[in-house]
Amino acid sequence: MVPSPVILRSPVHHLKHDERRQYVEHGYTDSNSIDVTLTERIDPAAVISPVSSEISSSLMTTKLDESIVNMPMEKKVCKYEKGKWVADNRRPLYSGLGCKQWLSDMWACRLMQREDFSYERYRWQPLDCEMPEFEGSAFLKRMRGKTIALVGDSLGRQQFQSLICMVTGGNHFPGVKDVGIEYGLVKAPGAVRPDGWAYRFADTGTTILYYWSATLCELESLNRSDPSTSYAMHLDRPVPFLRNYIHRFDVLVLNTGHHWNRGKIKANKWEMFVGGKPIADRKLADIGNAKNLTIHSIVKWIDFQISQNPQLKAFFMTISPRHFFNGDWNTGGSCNNTKPLSNGSEVLQDGSLDTVVESAVKGSKVKLLDITALSKLRDEAHISRGSLTAAKGVQDCLHWCLPGIPDTWNEILCAQL
């Protein structure tokens, strides 16, 4: 009796690196390992011995230790945030000229003054695994009857439009119904646009929606009769849209970050509240601490919702990096570089550059969608000075050209799904 060989992969080394605050070009690979083959041969004579005690003794002394044989093999988890940008002439995944049905003109760089589009010809290659090829019809079939919700700021809206363009291939798609009214996404009187959009693909019943919430927390009018009223910004309460509709979601992607500054908060007349009362603790009123509290509160709430809605898969996307050089958006900051990967092409460090989101999701059922470091390498892919709507001398070094970097965020999202 010869048991089948058992192959155990034993890592030779592990390299940990705790640097979080800046991109550090250190890395490791766990590909070096030892193959351990466990094979025991049982003497046939012992097996056919007529003496039961000898059989028992022989088997006891020759069989493999069950604790080793039955030891569960650890499933290798792909770390999509590690890897490198590689040239790929098959990109982009859709046409910036063709996806007019879904893509806002202000983000379609093919419709702008920009002349260089080399940034479109790259894809993200994870370090130790393959990124599944994205195919729109296959994705819709996988998501048959499901609802995918993206909730966050304008970067989340870019991700939403990117996903719709990827699914449709940038082509006109007649079998899509606007179902925004089902989620209260209708344009209010006097509003420039609704608070979001929801589209359902007729063939598969797949719904993809976006809801605008810059901070993810509830904003409550302090005086409904006064048009110029301030708003209570409840740091410990999720935005009502989530409370009302989360039970209908199968996939939820959250993001926040760039509205957490004094200028935005003051301009929007937001006043911080906790526990239903204005914040009295000056330390908590610090922008960083307030953001930290909100993100941790949202993750804790979502984690509980997953236990109540087990079909739900939730992701928190890390912050998308800005690339303003020699100033900020309103002080002459620019991002004029058009050469791809001029600051490197690889991400090899452990841990996210967005430590707030990373720490918030740790130990929860909410997954990390880590896009910060890989996006940080692509300063040439912003809208920059190509915008047709920006004031003279103002560049957009926050939002991305589409097609572009948000397509990669969605590829990683779909791979993690």
Side-chain angles (χ1 to χ4, degrees):
M1 297 175 60
V2 183
S4 300
V6 179
I7 309 298
L8 302 181
R9 299 287 291 179
S10 176
V12 171
H13 69 279
H14 296 280
L15 178 61
K16 295 183 178 179
H17 188 60
D18 292 326
E19 185 63 36
R20 297 286 194 274
R21 298 296 178 186
Q22 58 184 344
Y23 175 76
V24 182
E25 297 220 9
H26 287 164
Y28 80 94
T29 173
D30 61 1
S31 61
N32 297 322
S33 58
I34 302 170
D35 283 349
V36 181
T37 304
L38 301 179
T39 306
E40 291 281 349
R41 293 187 177 275
I42 300 177
D43 185 358
V47 176
I48 63 175
S49 169
V51 183
S52 61
S53 61
E54 291 181 6
I55 296 175
S56 176
S57 175
S58 180
L59 291 175
M60 287 295 292
T61 56
T62 59
K63 76 173 183 176
L64 291 173
D65 186 339
E66 290 184 2
S67 65
I68 297 176
V69 175
N70 297 324
M71 182 172 61
M73 303 298 288
E74 183 176 349
K75 184 178 180 181
K76 192 172 186 179
V77 177
C78 183
K79 295 185 176 180
Y80 292 102
E81 69 275 12
K82 285 186 177 184
K84 62 182 178 181
W85 290 101
V86 296
D88 189 341
N89 288 328
R90 297 173 301 169
R91 300 304 169 108
L93 296 172
Y94 55 91
S95 167
L97 293 173
C99 200
K100 295 179 181 179
Q101 186 178 0
W102 316 108
L103 188 56
S104 296
D105 290 350
M106 62 182 175
W107 294 330
C109 288
R110 288 276 180 177
L111 303 178
M112 300 180 187
Q113 305 170 69
R114 183 163 183 153
E115 298 178 352
D116 181 90
F117 302 98
S118 57
Y119 65 89
E120 293 182 347
R121 301 291 184 178
Y122 289 84
R123 66 175 172 83
W124 181 248
Q125 174 61 57
L127 178 65
D128 53 3
C129 54
E130 291 297 322
M131 181 86 79
E133 287 288 332
F134 183 89
E135 205 282 312
S137 61
F139 177 77
L140 288 176
K141 289 176 182 177
R142 280 177 57 204
M143 296 290 111
R144 184 180 296 276
K146 299 185 184 299
T147 297
I148 304 165
L150 297 97
V151 179
D153 57 24
S154 57
L155 279 307
R157 185 182 171 196
Q158 284 208 298
Q159 187 183 11
F160 163 73
Q161 291 192 5
S162 161
L163 183 58
I164 295 281
C165 287
M166 288 169 66
V167 167
T168 62
N171 301 314
H172 181 71
F173 220 86
V176 181
K177 181 181 179 182
D178 184 341
V179 293
I181 194 170
E182 293 185 17
Y183 299 90
L185 303 177
V186 293
K187 183 178 174 181
V192 176
R193 54 181 174 263
D195 288 334
W197 297 264
Y199 299 107
R200 182 166 298 140
F201 292 78
D203 288 347
T204 61
T206 306
T207 302
I208 303 177
L209 68 84
Y210 163 77
Y211 180 79
W212 185 88
S213 176
T215 63
L216 301 180
C217 56
E218 180 180 353
L219 297 173
E220 182 184 24
S221 173
L222 292 176
N223 186 350
R224 296 184 182 278
S225 62
D226 181 4
S228 61
T229 185
S230 295
Y231 295 84
M233 181 182 181
H234 295 283
L235 303 181
D236 51 352
R237 297 182 192 173
V239 60
F241 179 81
L242 285 175
R243 298 203 304 265
N244 294 336
Y245 298 106
I246 194 169
H247 65 282
R248 298 182 60 176
F249 302 158
D250 299 282
V251 179
L252 172 63
V253 184
L254 303 170
N255 91 287
T256 188
H258 291 291
H259 284 253
W260 291 92
N261 61 73
R262 286 293 175 194
K264 292 282 188 183
I265 290 175
K266 184 177 181 180
N268 288 305
K269 299 180 180 180
W270 294 340
E271 297 181 10
M272 296 183 189
F273 277 56
V274 171
K277 300 177 181 178
I279 288 180
D281 186 345
R282 294 183 63 182
K283 185 177 180 181
L284 185 56
D286 173 80
I287 295 294
N289 293 335
K291 175 187 172 185
N292 193 36
L293 171 63
T294 295
I295 291 176
H296 278 77
S297 296
I298 289 289
V299 169
K300 185 177 180 180
W301 183 80
I302 296 289
D303 197 41
F304 174 76
Q305 295 302 313
I306 293 174
S307 67
Q308 304 299 303
N309 304 277
Q311 87 287 351
L312 178 63
K313 292 183 179 181
F315 299 82
F316 210 122
M317 188 171 76
T318 59
I319 195 167
S320 173
R322 300 163 11 123
H323 289 96
F324 288 98
F325 296 97
N326 302 315
D328 211 329
W329 71 271
N330 57 350
T331 57
S334 62
C335 46
N336 292 320
N337 175 44
T338 58
K339 182 181 178 181
L341 309 176
S342 57
N343 293 312
S345 62
E346 294 183 300
V347 174
L348 298 171
Q349 88 279 356
D350 284 329
S352 177
L353 297 180
D354 189 339
T355 56
V356 174
V357 172
E358 182 183 43
S359 63
V361 302
K362 187 176 182 180
S364 76
K365 301 181 190 70
V366 180
K367 300 181 184 298
L368 186 71
L369 180 55
D370 192 357
I371 57 87
T372 306
L374 64 90
S375 303
K376 192 175 177 66
L377 297 172
R378 302 302 306 277
D379 63 294
E380 89 290 357
H382 287 292
I383 293 170
S384 185
R385 59 177 179 269
S387 175
L388 298 175
T389 58
K392 185 177 180 180
V394 175
Q395 294 194 16
D396 188 347
C397 304
L398 169 63
H399 299 101
W400 305 91
C401 288
L402 291 176
I405 307 307
D407 304 336
T408 297
W409 305 347
N410 283 323
E411 286 185 277
I412 295 175
L413 169 65
C414 295
Q416 288 188 254
L417 282 173

